[in-house]
Amino acid sequence: MIIQLQQGLPDNLKENILQQVKAIGYKANEVKTQEGDYLVAIGKKDFDIRTIGQLPGVADIHRVSDEYKLISRKWRVSPTQIDLGDGVVVGEGQFSIMAGPCSIESERQIELVVEHLKANDVRMMRGGVFKPRSSPYAFRGMGLEGLKMFHQLCHQNGIKIITEVMQVSQIADMVDFVDVFQVGARNSQNFNLLDALGEAQKPVLLKRGISGTLEELLQAAEYIFSNGNEKIMLCERGIRSYENAYRNVLDLNAVPVLKAKTHLPVIVDPSHGIGLRDYVEDMSLAAVMAGADGVIYETHQKPEEAFSDGQQTVNFQESERLIRRMRQAYALRQNF
Ligand code: PEP
Ligand code: MN
């Protein structure tokens, strides 16, 4: 059950609600986010919801049978939009394109990508500075100095930054230079990181775990929300299977299913999803038609020379065509 409290509720009224919740045998969890104050009450006993609903200070009350509560569409029926500022909005009624290299490599590289994005009216650039790599000897990113450079060049050009955070201790250093924190597949259930990103308040793009179920993804999002941050996007990036003809299996089933289960925006990553650059366009177009709120993909001026994930990275010419065709597909979807 979710109890939405009135704004600025005096302590005595809140205390009274907490006591009543306890009296019916429920455990109340207090949640304070950018948008509101809530009590998430967990319990199984049957009771008349009006006994709580009519208490002074209660703005709204809902039963939510899902294991996750605040991110459930059973509670918040209309889809969430996330405003990144300067006219960049993610979620319902928008189709967001986020593009950039797997890894930030140099000042020149950022300049070239920014130029490419601007020429195509793309407002969000991706790029990792802390890279999770299977081999400890592979390029692991430019770190904080790379992020500062990335931030400066993007912000001069009105482009928002999305970049991966790998551990709690990085958040404080990164927070002023990031518009969206990415949680990678390997950290999708790093609950300490999710708690801390709830407190950090900046928008988060949460990727599905390498072998993660949708329930696990949704519960991971609930960690962020219940720690105070409503600004969450979910990302389908493919799951591991026995098939080895491609890197992962991009699970586009997840798009309509997630959109029915949660009010959060759903973004698709076809680059990691299939792992082969020749098919990124096909899977992106399929993602648009499946109902995705956006696509995040890898592009680089010379994919064959990229420090990481070159095999799944499209060049600028391919990227330009991809952007154009995704927009055409989105226009078609809206007019269906
Ligand atoms: C990435 O976006 O470059 C990345 C490492 O993604 P994932 O966590 O989905 O593997
Ligand atoms: Mn990558």
Side-chain angles (χ1 to χ4, degrees), residues 133-138 140:
R133 303 304 303 276
S134 300
S135 162
Y137 309 116
R140 292 168 73 179

Side-chain angles (χ1 to χ4, degrees), residues 55-295:
L55 294 174
V58 173
D60 199 10
I61 183 162
H62 281 277
R63 281 186 208 274
V64 180
S65 52
D66 296 325
E67 286 292 312
Y68 43 87
K69 307 287 179 195
L70 291 158
I71 62 148
S72 173
R73 201 155 179 173
K74 291 198 177 109
W75 172 56
R76 194 173 274 173
V77 188
S78 48
T80 292
Q81 280 195 333
I82 302 171
D83 189 349
L84 301 179
D86 304 318
V88 183
V89 178
V90 177
E92 193 67 6
Q94 313 285 327
F95 186 75
S96 301
I97 299 178
M98 311 169 191
C102 179
S103 304
I104 294 298
E105 299 170 1
S106 66
E107 187 168 2
R108 185 73 193 130
Q109 176 218 32
I110 304 167
E111 283 168 356
L112 291 171
V113 177
V114 164
E115 201 178 302
H116 165 65
L117 298 183
K118 274 179 78 173
N120 289 282
D121 199 24
V122 171
R123 303 287 308 278
M124 295 180 74
M125 177 164 164
R126 62 145 290 145
V129 294
F130 296 110
K131 296 299 304 175
R133 303 304 303 276
S134 300
S135 162
Y137 309 116
F139 177 65
R140 292 168 73 179
M142 289 184 75
L144 202 56
E145 290 318 303
L147 178 61
K148 288 180 181 168
M149 192 164 69
F150 183 18
H151 175 260
Q152 198 188 358
L153 290 168
C154 282
H155 277 237
Q156 279 167 2
N157 287 285
I159 289 180
K160 303 292 173 189
I161 285 180
I162 169 161
T163 195
E164 179 163 354
V165 57
M166 287 177 62
Q167 55 187 41
V168 175
S169 61
Q170 292 166 344
I171 296 175
D173 288 337
M174 292 175 75
V175 71
D176 291 337
F177 306 102
V178 166
D179 297 298
V180 180
F181 279 115
Q182 175 175 319
V183 176
R186 291 153 195 82
N187 268 315
S188 194
Q189 285 189 302
N190 179 340
F191 301 119
N192 294 329
L193 183 62
L194 302 174
D195 282 344
L197 288 168
E199 286 161 22
Q201 303 280 312
K202 280 266 167 102
V204 175
L205 179 132
L206 174 64
K207 289 198 168 192
R208 182 177 183 178
I210 287 176
S211 303
T213 64
L214 296 187
E215 181 77 19
E216 285 166 337
L217 176 62
L218 291 162
Q219 290 279 30
E222 185 82 10
Y223 266 85
I224 302 171
F225 199 126
S226 64
N227 276 281
N229 188 358
E230 301 200 6
K231 299 179 180 178
I232 310 162
M233 315 162 202
L234 302 178
C235 181
E236 164 58 39
R237 48 78 72 200
I239 44 175
R240 179 165 290 171
S241 84
Y242 52 80
E243 182 53 69
N244 57 17
Y246 26 79
R247 184 175 180 180
N248 289 302
V249 176
L250 183 63
D251 176 15
L252 289 179
N253 298 353
V255 178
V257 172
L258 285 172
K259 291 204 56 92
K261 287 180 183 290
T262 176
H263 52 85
L264 301 175
V266 177
I267 308 296
V268 170
D269 175 348
S271 305
H272 295 84
I274 192 158
L276 299 166
R277 73 167 76 94
D278 285 352
Y279 310 117
V280 166
E281 180 177 306
D282 289 341
M283 299 317 292
S284 300
L285 297 176
V288 177
M289 296 321 272
D293 295 299
V295 161

